[in-house]
Amino acid sequence: MNEKKQLTLYVDTRRCMGCRACEIACKLENDLPRGPRYTMVTETEVIEDGVDKLKFLPVPCQHCADAPCLKACPTGAIYKRADGIVMVNKKKCIGCHECLWSCPFGVPQYGADGKMQKCTMCAFRQDHGEKPACAAACPAEAILVGSPEEISATLRNRYGAEASHTNTTRMAGKPVK
Amino acid sequence: MKMICVDRSKCNGCGACQTICSLTKKGSIHPTESRMQLRRTGGVQLQYTTYCQHCADPACLKACLKTIIRKEGELVVRNFEGCFACSACAVACPMGAVVYDSGVDAYLTCDQCGGDPLCVKICPTGALSFAEPAQSSVERRSSYAEKRQDPKEVL
Amino acid sequence: MEHMNPIPWRKHEDLDKYAVKHNVPVTIGGKVVIADRVVKTSCPHNCYDTCGELVYIKDEKVIKIEGDPDHPITRGHLCMKGFANVAKINSPDRVKYPLLRVGERGEGKFKRITWDEAMDFMVEKLTEIREKYGSEALTEYCYSGNREHMAKTVMARFLNLYGASKLVGSFCLLSGAAGSFNTVGTQHTMMPDVWSETAEVVMIVGRNSSATNPHIYPFLYRAKERGAKVIVVDPYATGLASKADLHLRPRPGTDGAMALGMIHWIIKQGLQDQEFIDKYTYGFEDLKKLVEKWTPEYTEQITTIPKEQLIEAAELFATHKSHMECGYGQQRYSNGHQTQRALACLAAICGRVGKEDGNYNFIDSMGFPSIGENAFANANAVAVPEGAEIKSTRMLNIARIANCIHEAKEPPIKAVIAYRGGLISQQGNVDYTIEAVKSLDLFVSIEQFMTDDTDYADLVLPACHYLEQYGLHPSYWHHYLQLQVPVCQPPYECVPDIEIFAELGRRMGYGEYFPEETTGLDYIRMMIGEHCDMDEAVSPKGPMRFSEEWCPRVPYSDYKFDTPSGKIELFSNMMDERGKEFPGDYCPVPHFLEPDESIMGTPELAKKYPINVISQHPSFRTHSQYYNLPWIQEVEGPAKIYINEEDAAQRGIKDGDLLRVFNDRGELVNIVAKVTRRVKPNVAEMSSGMWVKLGGSVNKLTSLSVGGPRDISENGGIMYAYHPLLDGNTGAYFNTLIDIQKM
């Protein structure tokens, strides 16, 4: 009756402010040594309207609907769950790195055993009713997990009012009390 | 371990890597016996290169009838003097990275030129690099994030 | 992990009483593990957020940590360091046993000894030193590595009984605190859950919340989503500045000038809240006179902020319901006290003090009024034991501790017991500080890891992690208290700081003042038990909101300021008076002085060293802590310096090149160049807290210049009278000039 739909992990980049709590929360949750970084926060310098700014983008696995890594894997070690999470069966992985060369986001990591490991959207946590570790950790509450409808509702709640705000800059003359 | 890493979106199919490989290893330009092979698939799909990935669990090692393939640290190495060119490894390799070398009458693979691969140096577009996969992952993530800032760049 | 209790005098409490729940399942590495218990505590590192934490224990080992969702401000989230505590507390590199130096100071060669031997060594040395030089030859070095307040009072009890010199002051924020106190009196903050719902403009100065205050963001974004505009003042483009609607980038050390320029424009345009000024402030005419020369053009010349931007910021701030949040970066210069005075005056003339829709925040008094000078809460109840004869001793200003050690006479300083602070890694001018340490007869370092300090110690004692100790650390930003309790037994032979001090006290003959049964919680009760229902703040309970009396929801709304005039003092009577008695810059109006080293203020020096390096606190660590953890090193990467594109081009430097960074005080080598626009020309940024011995310490280049008002360069920083909120000081790390070149 309850069909498990693809869950989305959405990063609200308007909110991500580059604290990197998600990176270490992920390491802790997955009990990772130094080496594999399931999620990584990128930092890009931009000039926006003449102003120097930093833009942050955490890049965990996107769990693509049409995953290039899955198609590239020669042994079929990469598979997609019914709820859309892309997983690796380490027993089948031969550590050939094809997944890394085909992933546009550079997500696959390789552990000490040479086999591929990566973000699982905390499938194990989700199976136990918890949010992914990065989403729970984020102090800015920038990482949203849920169905597209749920995420859309949150975003509308956050930003929908923006369009209707009057311009609050300068009201010349008297101060506003 | 450092690997030859490839960014396929940058590969323009020039084949310089394939050329320099056989030139270096065999002393002559012999594309079909180059250990770095350029594959042209035609159409819109990119051309891509194949070369030994030094797999963690190599198919070639399991397939070899004479057990001359082994792992030395993270490198996959072979004792090619013992090879009797049965081609089992070439058939088993999912990347098509094993090539027959007529000079030694054996099947050979990329050995990273002992740690300083020429193909990487000659690649004109920077599609090839020599780095730890972890470093390559960091660079890919960063370069994706940069592209994403400029909407024109996103495919 | 061995859990031994071989030390007979160690307290062994049953910590199960702090459990919130037992047999709690947690997920780790894709498996479910049943934790024996989960405990509530909070983080006592020196940042605003002071997060509520839930710590999961199995077999007396910390296996996981999460934010406490019951905390109304930190809302169940932690920063990267919070999560890294699991790795830190379980690190195989922890100091496990007492170690006695066997090589030369600086070689880092030690042999393991027993606690008895360690205690005997300390007793012998301390007795010898007192006989030879006098009791004031001893002092402590303690700061905010674990910023909780209770252990320091227990050590103060020992030091008082011994007759040691007192360590006072701050080297991180008292200049700003003095500037702020001399304007509005007792310090209070208004919590973000108030202004996020009401403010129309939020101005944040000198703070990069991404690194040191990430929990502000849900509140800041709430304000933005309601339509509020955000102004950020910071010389460089940080994570927070990147979220601003308006980012002002003053030349380092000129935030005060910026404020004066804004005040000038606001008065010129008649945008000030004259009714508020007439009713609640004192000295407006003096301020008006001071800002006469600070035209937008002149301000632009001094601060390098384009005048159109300055005008926009001034008008935005003055004509809306604005809230000002001040960080501490703007006051980390020799003029820091006047900078903060100017910012406070700016808020005041716009009527932005005492309002629910926007207030003026610098730091909070943390729940308790000071009772007695230099005391937090009722610290003296612990520090000054009843019935004991305590002699009055000289005070050493921590902002100049190296100078004190070099220059103290009658008696000289010959012994330092260091804990909770990296003397060598965090004080300015590393080489000068190391020379000071080398001149000591005794340097004891109580540490969790083998750091820069331990390299120079005679005795290293195995310290506990904060999760293994009691603590009283209220936030200086929000008003919720969760007392720190030990969540698990310490491993190896690690001993909580207070137990070290108590045992040392007993062995030095002060047994009656260090009863064995007294726990950390008992000491905390002595400090605050009368003032609040502290049991509500002890796991399994908590967090507890401080009383409205000490932490009002809308501070200053009664418009009663504890200043001599009872008003907000734009002209500071307290500074005027104090300046008659003590040397320093006590100018009662917030005039602008160039910092001790600056491009415009010291042009001769700037010819040699044309780049001003600022050393901000990154998200990767708290000062020098966490730097050695593999997870953190991986995410941070190698020691780097951010330099401006033009400065790089002039020197033929490309991104990724290795640099030599240098000035007359020292040099660093092989620092990775990050060529960027996030710093303006003639400015560079290199994070503080990297270890000296790992080659990245910016303090090889910083000086011991301090923020005012008090001038403590006389007498080496040794004082006989001192009031922190009148006198200041702060380490002026950011007024440091350097140059860079390719290796």
Side-chain angles (χ1 to χ4, degrees):
Chain A
M1 188 58 180
N2 267 334
E3 188 193 84
K4 256 202 146 175
K5 285 216 206 116
Q6 164 110 24
L7 284 180
T8 305
L9 188 137
Y10 175 88
V11 179
D12 187 349
T13 50
R14 274 165 288 201
R15 285 197 165 214
C16 178
M17 38 71 179
C19 77
R20 301 172 185 273
C22 53
E23 291 205 46
I24 304 293
C26 174
K27 287 266 195 185
L28 177 62
E29 177 63 40
N30 291 292
D31 200 15
L32 298 175
R34 182 175 179 157
R37 289 170 77 178
Y38 284 12
T39 187
M40 188 190 112
V41 180
T42 60
E43 194 174 286
T44 311
E45 284 188 25
V46 301
I47 305 174
E48 218 172 64
D49 301 321
V51 179
D52 300 314
K53 289 195 185 206
L54 304 177
K55 294 283 188 190
F56 304 102
L57 178 65
V59 189
C61 178
Q62 307 290 102
H63 299 282
C64 304
D66 188 17
C69 61
L70 197 154
K71 293 196 281 200
C73 175
T75 63
I78 300 177
Y79 65 96
K80 199 165 164 70
R81 292 186 355 167
D83 63 2
I85 297 180
V86 176
M87 305 279 279
V88 182
N89 179 350
K90 275 207 177 178
K91 289 201 194 89
K92 290 187 177 174
C93 174
I94 60 168
C96 74
H97 312 103
E98 272 303 303
C99 45
L100 179 56
W101 312 144
S102 56
C103 175
F105 314 105
V107 158
Q109 305 287 303
Y110 303 94
D113 60 0
K115 308 248 175 124
M116 199 275 267
Q117 49 184 190
K118 68 172 185 66
C119 158
T120 59
M121 214 199 281
C122 283
F124 195 74
R125 271 177 76 105
Q126 289 198 48
D127 292 344
H128 285 82
E130 306 251 18
K131 283 199 287 196
C134 55
C138 178
E141 300 174 2
I143 302 179
L144 305 173
V145 182
S147 68
E149 293 78 21
E150 286 166 346
I151 291 175
S152 171
T154 306
L155 294 176
R156 255 180 243 157
N157 204 29
R158 285 179 179 174
Y159 303 111
E162 224 170 76
S164 61
H165 280 306
T166 52
N167 190 338
T168 57
T169 52
R170 267 199 301 309
M171 287 157 70
K174 306 225 169 113
V176 174
K177 289 263 175 19
Chain B
M1 178 182 88
K2 281 191 173 175
M3 295 240 29
I4 298 172
C5 304
V6 59
D7 183 344
R8 294 202 171 117
S9 67
K10 289 183 178 164
C11 174
N12 66 1
C14 71
C17 51
Q18 185 171 18
T19 307
I20 198 82
C21 179
S22 58
L23 194 59
T24 308
K25 289 301 199 185
K26 294 175 66 69
S28 62
I29 297 174
H30 197 152
T32 54
E33 296 197 6
S34 173
R35 308 183 204 192
M36 162 76 78
Q37 289 282 317
L38 174 74
R39 316 279 181 182
R40 290 198 180 86
T41 60
V44 179
Q45 166 57 30
L46 305 164
Q47 46 280 328
Y48 63 100
T49 51
T50 57
Y51 51 93
C52 180
Q53 296 289 336
H54 298 281
C55 298
D57 188 12
C60 57
L61 191 155
K62 291 188 190 151
C64 178
L65 296 178
K66 294 200 77 184
T67 62
I68 55 164
I69 302 176
R70 67 186 190 284
K71 284 214 58 114
E72 217 168 66
E74 289 182 60
L75 277 174
V76 174
V77 301
R78 54 180 66 214
N79 203 358
F80 70 83
E81 293 91 358
C83 175
F84 70 153
C86 72
S87 82
C89 57
V91 167
C93 175
M95 343 302 323
V98 188
V99 291
Y100 174 73
D101 188 302
S102 53
V104 295
D105 187 29
Y107 278 82
L108 302 178
T109 50
C110 165
D111 60 4
Q112 301 186 339
C113 289
D116 195 16
L118 273 293
C119 53
V120 171
K121 290 182 157 154
I122 210 175
C123 174
T125 62
L128 293 174
S129 60
F130 192 57
E132 304 258 352
Q135 181 55 32
S136 181
S137 159
V138 169
E139 276 161 22
R140 272 155 215 270
R141 277 160 148 159
S142 301
S143 115
Y144 166 69
E146 268 176 46
K147 269 194 266 190
R148 202 179 169 279
Q149 298 309 326
D150 182 356
K152 295 198 292 290
E153 286 284 341
V154 176
L155 295 166
Chain C
M1 169 94 54
E2 313 155 56
H3 279 283
M4 312 190 295
N5 196 25
I7 309 159
W9 44 267
R10 260 238 61 213
K11 301 198 73 56
H12 192 99
E13 270 189 283
D14 179 8
L15 300 174
D16 201 66
K17 58 189 166 185
Y18 299 124
V20 176
K21 241 161 86 173
H22 291 96
N23 302 321
V24 189
V26 289
T27 54
I28 298 176
K31 296 194 199 37
V32 175
V33 178
I34 309 293
D36 299 329
R37 61 179 186 270
V38 59
V39 182
K40 267 188 203 257
T41 187
S42 64
C43 174
H45 284 317
N46 190 358
C47 105
Y48 301 87
D49 303 2
T50 311
C51 299
E53 298 176 318
L54 290 176
V55 191
Y56 297 86
I57 313 296
K58 188 175 173 68
D59 301 331
E60 288 309 310
K61 193 175 125 146
V62 173
I63 56 170
K64 204 150 188 223
I65 190 168
E66 284 172 358
D68 181 3
D70 290 343
H71 197 296
I73 304 294
T74 62
R75 293 158 66 117
H77 311 301
L78 296 177
C79 73
M80 59 155 42
K81 301 169 287 294
F83 293 109
N85 277 306
V86 179
K88 185 172 195 251
I89 196 174
N90 294 314
S91 170
D93 298 333
R94 277 185 73 174
V95 179
K96 304 174 182 68
Y97 318 103
L99 299 167
L100 189 68
R101 174 169 65 87
V102 294
E104 289 304 309
R105 284 235 179 95
E107 283 188 334
K109 293 205 177 105
F110 295 90
K111 72 170 187 195
R112 175 181 170 177
I113 58 173
T114 66
W115 264 105
D116 266 331
E117 288 170 327
M119 283 288 170
D120 287 344
F121 176 80
M122 280 196 286
V123 170
E124 188 191 310
K125 281 293 209 181
L126 290 175
T127 311
E128 199 178 280
I129 284 166
R130 184 166 51 188
E131 273 163 25
K132 191 167 170 197
Y133 301 104
S135 65
E136 293 187 60
L138 169 68
T139 190
E140 63 172 354
Y141 183 80
C142 168
Y143 208 57
S144 68
N146 175 341
R147 197 178 181 267
E148 74 79 26
H149 297 265
M150 178 270 297
K152 198 169 148 69
T153 61
V154 178
M155 178 56 149
R157 173 176 282 219
F158 172 82
L159 295 172
N160 276 331
L161 290 163
Y162 180 96
S165 296
K166 288 186 184 44
L167 186 73
V168 299
S170 135
F171 59 109
C172 72
L173 59 63
L174 276 182
S175 282
S180 197
F181 177 75
N182 282 314
T183 317
V184 301
T186 299
Q187 296 292 287
H188 289 292
T189 53
M190 188 161 83
M191 285 205 285
D193 57 354
V194 179
W195 55 256
S196 61
E197 292 297 331
T198 53
E200 292 174 337
V201 171
V202 182
M203 179 162 154
I204 307 182
V205 184
R207 188 193 301 180
N208 177 12
S209 295
S210 297
T212 58
N213 173 217
H215 297 80
I216 200 176
Y217 282 101
F219 301 100
L220 189 66
Y221 292 142
R222 168 66 186 148
K224 280 185 87 155
E225 284 154 21
R226 282 178 38 250
K229 295 284 183 245
V230 175
I231 305 172
V232 170
V233 180
D234 195 319
Y236 97 121
T238 60
L240 177 66
S242 302
K243 304 300 181 192
D245 296 292
L246 191 51
H247 177 202
L248 298 164
R249 298 171 73 172
R251 178 168 64 92
T254 63
D255 304 64
M258 174 203 77
L260 296 177
M262 287 172 73
I263 293 171
H264 169 102
W265 185 259
I266 288 167
I267 294 175
K268 179 150 185 240
Q269 300 297 108
L271 298 174
Q272 75 274 22
D273 187 342
Q274 197 58 51
E275 198 188 317
F276 184 95
I277 291 169
D278 292 337
K279 267 173 96 168
Y280 304 124
T281 75
Y282 172 92
F284 182 62
E285 292 305 314
D286 299 284
L287 182 68
K288 216 166 140 185
K289 190 137 170 272
L290 174 74
V291 301
E292 253 164 36
K293 71 174 188 183
W294 287 97
T295 61
E297 292 74 22
Y298 182 60
T299 309
E300 177 173 344
Q301 193 193 319
I302 298 292
T303 65
T304 72
I305 296 172
K307 61 177 193 271
E308 298 76 25
Q309 246 199 357
L310 185 85
I311 288 169
E312 189 182 351
E315 293 189 357
L316 194 62
F317 188 81
T319 60
H320 290 88
K321 298 171 186 172
S322 302
H323 175 75
M324 188 190 285
E325 286 267 318
C326 295
Y328 309 133
Q330 75 284 2
Q331 52 92 58
R332 217 153 266 151
Y333 301 87
S334 58
N335 60 8
H337 56 295
Q338 298 291 14
T339 297
Q340 198 54 41
R341 281 269 297 130
L343 288 164
C345 288
L346 170 62
I349 63 145
C350 296
R352 305 315 310 165
V353 181
K355 302 218 162 85
E356 188 183 19
D357 52 37
N359 217 319
Y360 159 75
N361 282 5
F362 179 75
I363 192 171
D364 193 76
S365 299
M366 295 177 289
F368 306 97
S370 286
I371 301 165
E373 269 189 26
N374 298 333
F376 170 67
N378 201 2
N380 284 337
V382 179
V384 184
E386 255 186 73
E389 219 189 278
I390 307 292
K391 73 179 201 191
S392 170
T393 56
R394 66 190 172 181
M395 289 177 275
L396 311 176
N397 194 314
I398 195 175
R400 283 231 152 198
I401 186 65
N403 299 78
C404 294
I405 296 173
H406 274 286
E407 297 185 39
K409 293 189 216 336
E410 293 167 21
I413 293 167
K414 284 296 176 184
V416 173
I417 301 177
Y419 60 108
R420 304 187 174 196
L423 171 59
I424 291 171
S425 57
Q426 291 309 110
Q427 285 280 338
N429 202 336
V430 163
D431 290 342
Y432 183 75
T433 304
I434 288 177
E435 288 311 308
V437 172
K438 281 186 178 165
S439 75
L440 300 170
D441 283 1
L442 176 67
F443 183 54
V444 178
S445 175
I446 305 174
E447 253 291 0
Q448 294 173 49
F449 294 98
M450 297 306 279
T451 58
D452 291 326
D453 276 20
T454 57
D455 276 356
Y456 290 88
D458 301 309
L459 178 67
V460 178
L461 298 175
C464 280
H465 190 283
Y466 77 76
L467 291 172
E468 295 156 354
Q469 303 188 74
Y470 284 104
L472 166 64
H473 181 244
S475 162
Y476 44 85
W477 177 60
H478 64 66
H479 305 138
Y480 290 94
L481 178 69
Q482 178 77 51
L483 290 173
Q484 285 91 37
V485 294
V487 306
C488 64
Q489 303 291 349
Y492 310 112
E493 291 185 16
C494 302
V495 176
D497 294 341
I498 60 173
E499 295 187 37
I500 299 176
F501 307 146
E503 179 63 13
L504 182 62
R506 288 189 283 268
R507 293 189 189 214
M508 288 287 291
Y510 314 129
E512 68 178 287
Y513 302 110
F514 290 104
E516 298 218 5
E517 329 76 63
T518 320
T519 65
L521 214 55
D522 295 331
Y523 285 122
I524 295 173
R525 205 172 295 280
M526 288 161 75
M527 291 173 77
I528 67 172
E530 270 178 53
H531 300 287
C532 71
D533 191 0
M534 63 175 249
D535 295 301
E536 294 302 305
V538 178
S539 184
K541 296 196 183 148
M544 174 197 92
R545 200 213 184 277
F546 284 126
S547 69
E548 178 68 19
E549 191 192 347
W550 301 131
C551 289
R553 181 174 169 273
V554 183
Y556 312 117
S557 57
D558 58 2
Y559 296 106
K560 291 186 169 61
F561 301 93
D562 36 315
T563 56
S565 61
K567 298 184 179 180
I568 300 172
E569 298 204 344
L570 308 173
F571 174 100
S572 170
N573 285 306
M574 290 192 280
M575 283 179 77
D576 197 31
E577 279 309 303
R578 195 82 179 166
K580 294 178 180 145
E581 232 192 302
F582 294 99
D585 172 34
Y586 287 94
C587 178
V589 286
H591 68 168
F592 172 75
L593 294 177
E594 284 283 342
D596 283 351
E597 285 184 22
S598 77
I599 307 296
M600 290 193 195
T602 54
E604 283 308 306
L605 184 65
K607 279 197 194 110
K608 254 174 110 180
Y609 302 118
I611 296 180
N612 190 139
V613 67
I614 51 181
S615 44
Q616 305 200 0
H617 300 145
S619 54
F620 307 109
R621 51 178 166 283
T622 44
H623 309 111
S624 61
Q625 291 191 76
Y626 300 88
Y627 187 57
N628 58 325
L629 297 180
W631 284 349
I632 299 291
Q633 287 188 334
E634 176 176 50
V635 174
E636 178 170 13
K640 54 181 88 68
I641 185 167
Y642 287 93
I643 58 178
N644 177 271
E645 303 178 321
E646 287 170 31
D647 293 336
Q650 268 171 35
R651 293 162 176 78
I653 294 171
K654 289 204 195 48
D655 193 75
D657 282 348
L658 294 180
L659 301 184
R660 185 178 158 247
V661 185
F662 58 99
N663 63 15
D664 287 338
R665 286 180 287 272
E667 70 166 14
L668 298 169
V669 294
N670 294 326
I671 306 298
V672 176
K674 302 291 280 176
V675 177
T676 178
R677 293 175 54 94
R678 69 183 76 185
V679 287
K680 283 164 107 168
N682 298 108
V683 180
E685 194 278 332
M686 189 172 173
S687 304
S688 81
M690 292 190 262
W691 292 9
V692 175
K693 61 181 167 183
L694 297 177
S697 173
V698 69
N699 287 326
K700 288 280 267 180
L701 310 164
T702 55
S703 69
L704 286 168
S705 155
V706 293
R710 177 101 166 247
D711 178 359
I712 50 171
S713 58
E714 274 179 36
N715 209 17
I718 299 167
M719 308 176 297
Y720 294 89
Y722 172 71
H723 189 299
L725 292 174
L726 296 176
D727 295 329
N729 307 88
T730 276
Y733 292 92
F734 294 177
N735 48 234
T736 301
L737 293 181
I738 57 159
D739 202 355
I740 52 179
Q741 66 188 196
K742 254 175 95 154
M743 295 286 304

